[in-house]
Amino acid sequence: RFSSCFYAEASEKIQESGILKVFLDLLAPQSSCAPKVANIIAEIAKNEFMRSPCVDAGLIPPLVQLLHCKDQEILLQTGRALGNICYDSHEGRSAVDQAGGAQIVADLIRSLCQNTEPANQRLLTVFCGMLMNYSHDDDILQAQLIGMGVIPTLVKLLGIHSQNAALTEMCLVAFGNLAELESSKEQFASTNIAEELASLFRKQAEHEKKEMIFEVLAPLAENDTIKLQLVDAGLVECLLDVVRQTVDSNKDEDIAELKTASDLMVLLLLGDESMQKLFDGGKGSVFQQVLSWVPSHNHQLQLAGALAIANFARNDGNCIHMVDAGIVQLLLDLLDRHVEDGNVTVQHAALSALRNLAIPVVNKSKMLSAGVSDEVLKFLKSEMPPVQFKLLGTLRMLIDTQADAADQLGKNAKLVGRLVEWCEAKDHAGVMGESNRLLSALIRHSKSKDVIRTIIHAGGVKHLVTMATSEHVIMQNEALVALGLIAALDLGSAEKELEGASLVPILHRLLSDDLSAPEIKYNSMILICAVMGSEPLHKEVQGLTFLDVISKLRSHENKTVAHQASLTEQRLTVQS
């Protein structure tokens, strides 16, 4: 190995000698030296210091002209020279672009595509490599190649030459390069890339080859149409085979392959059509096999199994079927294995699955009876925001419309205390929002004085008042309804907290703000009427211009708001 100083010096010597200018004349198509000169340029351009000098010497236009020759050796060496000059060189790519080199090479690949002679396959490999070096990591040039229709040509090439390892590899690298670009996905979806890749995958025994195919599949599988095509092409069965072959291995490459295959499986389930096809009414063999991952001893498979269940649980029909099939117990057993010093990603995935399963109303009581809330509460001590977030969401889904469960959980001082603590988690907006929503839900679904007392005692009222000022209408509304129930059921115990949290001025602001949604105005007026029974809050109401604001709302375009404004105005007038 020579130092970069040596290369810089050599490059200077070659430039000073003026040999690059001499090459210009020798690159004429009729020159017998053309292939040898192109070969020398290809070798020189392997040195990064020589790529710009080759461009500066004006070698690109004559090289591009040589692409019109019929001589295979000239084409081969020219392709190599252009490919090497483009490698990691902005100047090289720019010069090839200006000379129209990419279009000519794309057309040549198209015209030579069917020829399976070894010499032609070598030429195609060089041309694919040239286009790859030309466009690598450059969105504009990648988009240009996509516009030239390179993708269908390369897919065709892969199908015809799948026995040729070098050409296949070059196609895969080119696909990986282009697939990162969003605009490529539609073109890929219009070809039979899914069948070609699935077919190629089946033939591979080597880890490196499978890895190369995975690198193309991952970006392509982000597209829902391609997800379905990959499922139809039988890729899922290949992935399940990989899992079976690698699950008990301790080799690094097998562990990596297992992770890639199971992650890809989960990604395929993110498409609605592909997911539903694999669910197959809960009878699908793929669905059944993925379920068997959950009790596995392998953390990666446990994670993928739980994420897969969460993805299958994206519509009510699937959720109802899965709860009836006893899948909740699988998830509870999995969570139980991860309570003490557990794997955070597995906890997060299992809680996500339970949260999704708890969405249909008919599932809630079944899941509560199965002990889901008790299992979830074991994770209250978690200090990991992603786990806290999913735990809160799961409990909120479970108690929706379930008065007894809301009552039981709402009287749990340990839970309520943790919620109040998390309501102050300023660094984690998601956890903070979900804690507020669960506090509100405990009150709204239980309508219980005991629950309200537990929340007042824990210092939760001020958080509900703050929640009423949220930027999300749904959260504002949930807060106002919960505060209305507090005022109706236990105003005496809460008045100090309500006063300290500036409830009355906040309600005045919500009613004065033209941008407040109709339901916010409506519930704010209900709440104003409810707090009039408290002397200090009543005084605050009198001290602000509520009557002016409310009389204006009598002509509000929303009839319910207008009607409530009339009732509130009467109430305020009587009590002022």
Side-chain angles (χ1 to χ4, degrees), residues 15 30 83 117 140 154 166 176 182 197 217 252 283 285 308 381 386 449 522 566:
Q15 278 173 267
Q30 61 276 23
E117 287 168 16
I140 293 168
L154 291 178
E182 210 41 55
L197 290 175
L217 286 168
D252 285 351
K283 302 186 297 293
S285 73
K381 58 178 184 279
K449 202 167 182 171
Y522 175 81
S566 297

Side-chain angles (χ1 to χ4, degrees), residues 44 55-56 108 158 174 204 232 267 305 316 330 333 355 359 426 456 575:
I44 287 174
V55 174
D56 296 340
L108 280 168
L158 184 68
Q204 303 309 321
D232 289 339
L267 180 57
D316 283 6
L330 267 184
D333 293 343
R355 181 196 175 281
I359 292 171
K426 300 266 188 295
I456 293 170
Q575 293 205 315

Side-chain angles (χ1 to χ4, degrees), residues 236-274:
V236 171
E237 287 70 23
C238 301
L239 298 177
L240 291 170
D241 283 342
V242 169
V243 169
R244 274 192 291 273
Q245 290 155 14
T246 54
V247 66
D248 296 316
S249 170
N250 293 322
K251 285 192 206 155
D252 285 351
E253 62 180 39
D254 286 341
I255 292 167
E257 212 168 282
L258 173 79
K259 178 174 176 6
T260 311
S262 52
D263 283 349
L264 187 52
M265 183 77 198
V266 172
L267 180 57
L268 291 176
L269 293 173
L270 277 173
D272 288 336
E273 284 185 79
S274 49

Side-chain angles (χ1 to χ4, degrees), residues 107-127:
D107 293 341
L108 280 168
I109 295 174
R110 206 170 288 125
S111 65
L112 299 169
C113 187
Q114 305 284 350
N115 184 338
T116 54
E117 287 168 16
N120 188 64
Q121 288 182 321
R122 182 154 184 247
L123 182 56
L124 285 168
T125 307
V126 165
F127 281 161

Side-chain angles (χ1 to χ4, degrees), residues 20 56 120 132 169 215 227 256 307 381 469 504 534 538:
L20 294 178
D56 296 340
N120 188 64
M132 218 194 56
E169 266 182 47
E215 279 174 19
K227 281 186 182 79
L307 288 172
K381 58 178 184 279
T469 64
V504 173
S534 149
H538 186 165

